[in-house]
Amino acid sequence: MKHIVVGAGPAGVVAAETLRKLQASADVTLIGDEPEAPYSRMALPYYLVKQIAEEGTHLRKGADHFAKHGITVKQDRVSAINRAQKQVSLASGEVLAYDKLLLATGSRPVAPPIPGMDLPGIFSCWTLADARNIAARAKPGAKVLLMGAGFIGCIILEALAQSGAELTVVEMEGRMVPRMMNDTAGNMIKDWCESRGVKVHTSTRVTGITKGTAHPLSAALSTGQQLEVDLIVSATGVRPNIGFLQGTGLETGQGILINRHMQTNDPNIFAAGDVAEGRDFSTGESSVQAIQPTATEHAQLAARNMVGQQGAIHRGSVNMNVLDTLGLISSSFGLWMGKPGGDSAELLNRDRFRYLNLQFDGEVLVGATSLGMTQHVGVLRGLIQTKTRLGKWKDRLLEDPTRLMEAYLGSTQAVGFNAALLK
Amino acid sequence: MLKALQLEPEKCTGCLQCEMACSYENEAVFNPSKSRIKVFNFHDEGRFAPYTCSQCSEAWCMHACPVEAIVINQQTGAKEVIEDVCVGCKVCTIACPFGTGNYNSDSGKVIKCDLCGGDPACATACPTGAITYVDADHTGLARMKAHAGQSIPKN
C-alpha cells in the first residue's frame, strides 16, 4: 500500500505515524511545503517570548524521528491531483502514485479587506517565518497593534504583551474571543487585559492602514481614532487551504466535506484537521473546528480508515478551547452558548475573575465555559462526550457547579452507595 | 508485568495522606493543591474517593500534545510530562476526559501522575489500602462488575 499524506502539521504527522503503526509494510510519504521540520503553530507564542527555541516548536523531537519510523518526508507542494490515475503532481515536477491519499493541508490566515494590508510591517502570526519576523520587531517599548481578538489573536496577545511591547488590540465583535466565550466571560477577559496595561477596543474595526509619520504605520479605526504603530499583527481569522482542489471534483463547503469515515466523495481520498469539514459532536452537523485535539482525532481515524479498519467511525469531535490571556486561564466546551430549552448553572465572581457556566440538555451536560479554573477542566469534555446521565448530580451541580469531579465519579464509578455492591 | 494504581473508595477515610505524599514527592511541598492524586468528598454519603490518572492506553493527553511533551515510560507504562519540553499550552488539560491533567501556574507547566517512576508515594502513604499498586490486569475488574450490576434493573 502507498499512503500519501499532504500537510505536515499535527494532523498530517499523527496520521503518518498511525499509518506506520497500523501497517508496517506500507509506504508512507508526508509532504509539507514549509522549509522547516514539522512544527506546531500552537507553540509559536512560546517561541515569540523566547521560552523555547525553534526546535521546541517541532512536533517531534530528534532529527531522525521520521526516518526512524520509515516515513518519507518531502518538502514540496502538491500542484495537482489526478484521481483517475491515483497520482499527485508536485511543484518540483515529481509525480507520486497513491493507493490512499490524505489531505491535511490545514488553513491559512485571511487578511481583512482593507486598504494598506500590503505595507511592510504587517504580519500574520501563522508560520514559524512569521514568528521570526514578529520576534525581531516586537521589542520592549515598540508600539504594536493586534487586529483581531479571537482565539489566535489572544494566544499571540499574551506573547506580544510579555515581550514588553505597548499593545493595542482591536476586535470588531462586542467582546473578546467571541466564538469561544459568552458575553460575561469575553468581557471579563477584556477587563483583565486592560487592568494589565493592554488597550482593548471591542466593536471596533481597522478601516485602513497608511504610512505613519512618527511611526512607520498608521491605522485608522472605525471610531475615528488614528493610531501610529511600529508593527501590526493581523489575526482576523483563518480559512481552510482548499484552493488547490479546484477542478478535482472533490466536494468542498467551508472545508473539504468528509463522511464519518473521514472520506471525501472519492473513496481513496481522505481529509483531516483544519482543512476538513467533519462532524461536530454537539450539533451532529459538519463544521471546520480548526483545533488541535480535533486535528489529532481526525488524523487517527483517517489512518484507521485508510488501512481499511472496520468500525473506525467518527462520532463527532467536541469543540473545545483553552486560552491563557496574561495569566487568566479560560476554557469552553461543546455548546457553551447553551441549547434552546436547556437549563444552566452559573457561578460568577467578577472581582476574582472566576467564572463557571454549565449548560444542560435534560440531565446531560452539553456545554461549559470556565474562567480562572485550572484543576480537572478536562472532566467537562468527559461529561459532555460520554453524555453521562447525571441523575441526582444535576441538581447538585445547579446548586454548586464546582462539584464536577464528584458528579463524574458519582455518576460513573462504584463510589459511596454503589460501593456496597462490591461486598 | 505492568502495574497500575488500584483505587478502592470504600476503603478511603479521607485522611489526605496520599495528597500530602504526592505533593511532597513531586513538588517538595506539603500542599494538597499541588497533588496529582485527589480525594473527592461525598459528604452527603459520608464517603471519599481518591482519583488520579489511569494511564489509559490511547492517552488523549499524549495525542493532543502539540510538542511531544507527554511520552510513555516504557518501564512503568506511565504517560509522563517532560517538563523541559512542555510549553504550558494546556491543550492536554482539556483533552483528558477524566480531568486528571492539571496546569500548575507556579511552574507554567502541566502536572499529572507519573506513578513516581514505579514506586507511587500515594500508595505507600495510604494507611487503609485504598490505594495500592498492583498487577495492571487485575485493577478495576470488581468495580466494573459492581457498576454494571448496578445498571441492571431489579425486578
Side-chain angles (χ1 to χ4, degrees):
Chain A
M1 285 290 270
K2 282 184 169 38
H3 298 296
I4 295 182
V5 179
V6 189
V13 165
V14 169
E17 289 173 348
T18 311
L19 287 166
R20 167 54 63 239
K21 202 161 105 183
L22 297 175
Q23 236 172 28
S25 62
D27 274 354
V28 181
T29 303
L30 179 64
I31 302 170
D33 67 351
E34 287 187 52
E36 331 277 355
Y39 68 94
S40 165
R41 303 204 198 287
M42 285 287 304
L44 293 181
Y46 306 95
Y47 165 71
L48 271 183
V49 296
K50 301 188 176 64
Q51 183 188 323
I52 50 171
E54 279 195 17
E55 299 73 51
T57 69
H58 292 173
L59 285 162
R60 297 294 178 258
K61 314 301 181 207
D64 62 343
H65 172 85
F66 295 100
K68 212 166 68 189
H69 289 86
I71 296 167
T72 309
V73 182
K74 280 184 190 292
Q75 190 202 313
D76 214 323
R77 179 182 270 266
V78 171
S79 51
I81 299 172
N82 184 335
R83 287 170 50 197
Q85 303 283 325
K86 291 170 83 176
Q87 287 175 339
V88 293
S89 305
L90 306 182
S92 63
E94 200 177 347
V95 175
L96 300 173
Y98 65 83
D99 292 302
K100 304 285 175 201
L101 175 67
L102 176 65
L103 304 174
T105 49
S107 43
R108 72 173 77 217
V110 190
I114 57 167
M117 282 303 290
D118 50 350
L119 286 171
I122 305 175
F123 298 95
S124 301
C125 188
W126 194 242
T127 62
L128 200 42
D130 292 334
R132 287 184 200 117
N133 279 321
I134 294 168
R137 288 163 177 83
K139 300 284 186 215
K143 284 180 179 292
V144 179
L145 170 64
L146 173 64
M147 293 166 64
F151 177 71
I152 293 162
C154 283
I155 280 190
I156 311 161
L157 181 153
E158 159 126 351
L160 292 171
Q162 271 182 29
S163 64
E166 198 184 303
L167 183 61
T168 304
V169 183
V170 171
E171 164 61 44
M172 65 178 197
E173 301 282 337
R175 59 176 187 262
M176 289 179 76
V177 249
R179 280 186 290 157
M180 165 181 165
M181 291 283 141
N182 60 20
D183 271 331
T184 307
N187 282 310
M188 283 167 80
I189 295 175
K190 179 182 173 183
D191 291 346
W192 174 275
C193 291
E194 288 188 320
S195 73
R196 274 149 186 81
V198 176
K199 291 190 200 77
V200 184
H201 303 282
T202 46
S203 304
T204 306
R205 287 167 192 269
V206 176
T207 52
I209 302 167
T210 51
K211 280 190 179 164
T213 45
H215 295 272
L217 294 162
S218 180
L221 307 188
S222 55
T223 53
Q225 201 185 339
Q226 197 75 29
L227 207 63
E228 293 239 339
V229 294
D230 301 302
L231 170 70
I232 294 178
V233 178
S234 168
T236 51
V238 298
R239 295 272 180 282
N241 275 322
I242 52 175
F244 74 110
L245 297 175
Q246 265 192 353
T248 57
L250 290 179
E251 285 171 9
T252 56
Q254 231 202 319
I256 303 170
L257 295 177
I258 49 171
N259 64 18
R260 296 181 74 175
H261 294 277
M262 319 312 285
Q263 216 164 17
T264 65
N265 57 314
D266 180 328
N268 295 311
I269 303 181
F270 299 73
D274 287 15
V275 78
E277 192 172 327
R279 188 180 169 90
D280 180 286
F281 176 84
S282 304
T283 62
E285 284 161 22
S286 70
S287 72
V288 173
Q289 287 182 341
I291 57 170
Q292 167 88 12
T294 297
T296 57
E297 198 169 277
H298 275 184
Q300 291 175 67
L301 275 166
R304 289 172 61 193
N305 281 291
M306 287 165 78
V307 302
Q309 238 185 45
Q310 298 294 308
I313 296 168
H314 189 212
R315 294 170 192 280
S317 299
V318 176
N319 201 8
M320 55 189 171
N321 273 300
V322 61
L323 191 59
D324 188 339
T325 33
L326 308 174
L328 177 62
I329 292 152
S330 54
S331 65
S332 70
F333 298 81
L335 301 175
W336 51 265
M337 68 303 282
K339 191 163 183 165
D343 43 3
S344 64
E346 191 166 83
L347 200 62
L348 171 65
N349 185 333
R350 271 188 197 278
D351 299 334
R352 293 187 61 220
F353 289 94
R354 294 291 177 113
Y355 181 60
L356 182 58
N357 177 295
L358 305 179
Q359 297 290 338
F360 301 93
D361 179 16
E363 56 175 328
V364 174
L365 185 74
V366 291
T369 310
S370 83
L371 231 60
M373 179 169 150
T374 55
Q375 303 289 299
H376 316 297
V377 268
V379 79
L380 290 165
R381 180 216 180 148
L383 286 171
I384 292 169
Q385 200 157 17
T386 53
K387 294 187 179 172
T388 298
R389 291 173 60 178
L390 291 161
K392 65 185 177 191
W393 281 101
K394 168 148 179 222
D395 289 333
R396 292 175 182 175
L397 286 175
L398 289 174
E399 233 169 78
D400 179 0
T402 64
R403 298 196 72 198
L404 283 161
M405 279 301 282
E406 287 88 348
Y408 156 64
L409 291 170
S411 309
T412 61
Q413 314 247 328
V415 176
F417 176 72
N418 303 342
L421 290 155
L422 288 165
K423 288 172 193 136
Chain B
M1 181 187 70
L2 214 55
K3 291 172 85 174
L5 283 173
Q6 175 160 273
L7 307 173
E8 295 172 88
E10 62 282 2
K11 293 181 184 170
C12 178
T13 62
C15 75
L16 307 191
Q17 289 201 46
C18 54
E19 295 189 4
M20 300 289 259
C22 177
S23 63
Y24 186 66
E25 173 75 23
N26 293 295
E27 308 293 328
V29 284
F30 288 114
N31 181 352
S33 77
K34 296 275 184 289
S35 174
R36 296 151 192 218
I37 188 163
K38 291 278 175 187
V39 175
F40 293 95
N41 191 334
F42 293 79
H43 55 81
D44 310 287
E45 287 138 4
R47 303 263 184 181
F48 301 91
Y51 196 67
T52 190
C53 171
S54 64
Q55 316 296 344
C56 62
S57 61
E58 286 297 324
W60 278 268
C61 61
M62 185 173 73
H63 290 303
C65 177
V67 292
E68 206 181 20
I70 303 179
V71 297
I72 302 177
N73 178 321
Q74 298 295 343
Q75 254 161 10
T76 61
K79 290 14 175 227
E80 298 180 351
V81 178
I82 308 172
E83 205 175 306
D84 289 345
V85 180
C86 173
V87 293
C89 77
K90 310 164 201 72
V91 168
C92 58
T93 69
I94 58 167
C96 169
F98 310 105
T100 55
N102 295 324
Y103 178 65
N104 178 357
S105 48
D106 292 346
S107 63
K109 312 276 177 177
V110 165
I111 52 177
K112 69 175 286 298
C113 173
D114 59 3
L115 298 174
C116 296
D119 182 15
C122 55
T124 309
C126 180
T128 61
I131 307 168
T132 48
Y133 192 49
V134 301
D135 178 356
D137 287 342
H138 293 286
T139 49
L141 186 61
R143 313 209 71 71
M144 280 190 267
K145 269 189 181 164
H147 193 245
Q150 187 199 210
S151 63
I152 297 168
K154 294 183 183 75
N155 46 8

